[in-house]
Amino acid sequence: MGYTEYYPIAAKYRVPIVVTGFEPLDLLQGIYMCVLQLEQGRCEGREPVRTPRSARRQCPGAGPCGESIRVVDRKWRGIGGIPP
């Protein structure tokens, strides 16, 4: 889905969000960036320094998927209706 989907969540719930990779150094960098935001009183969605492992701004298949998939309500057994 790409990391831009997290920006509204950070703004709505006033929490810092940093998208990272799964390597130890990536995780440490993300934690550091979250701590900096908390210390400065900021709550925003951020991406860390770009690396080959970084998430993309948008999902590469977002265009083709959005053109061929229709989002609808769905009933799940034991949960009930789930809106899109």
Side-chain angles (χ1 to χ4, degrees):
M1 71 181 194
Y3 62 77
T4 57
E5 300 291 325
Y6 293 103
Y7 295 161
I9 296 169
K12 180 177 180 179
Y13 295 104
R14 301 287 304 145
V15 294
I17 295 178
V18 177
V19 179
T20 72
F22 295 105
E23 298 292 325
L25 196 55
D26 298 336
L27 293 171
L28 285 172
Q29 182 184 21
I31 292 167
Y32 174 70
M33 291 176 75
C34 277
V35 169
L36 283 179
Q37 286 188 52
L38 289 170
E39 287 178 344
Q40 297 169 359
R42 295 182 297 125
C43 296
E44 55 191 40
R46 296 281 314 260
E47 82 275 3
V49 175
R50 303 293 294 164
T51 69
R53 302 176 303 276
S54 296
R56 292 185 172 97
R57 181 173 292 275
Q58 289 183 315
C59 175
C65 289
E67 296 168 4
S68 60
I69 296 175
R70 183 172 53 105
V71 179
V72 297
D73 289 350
R74 184 71 179 165
K75 290 185 179 179
W76 282 29
R77 181 178 49 212
I79 297 177
I82 299 176

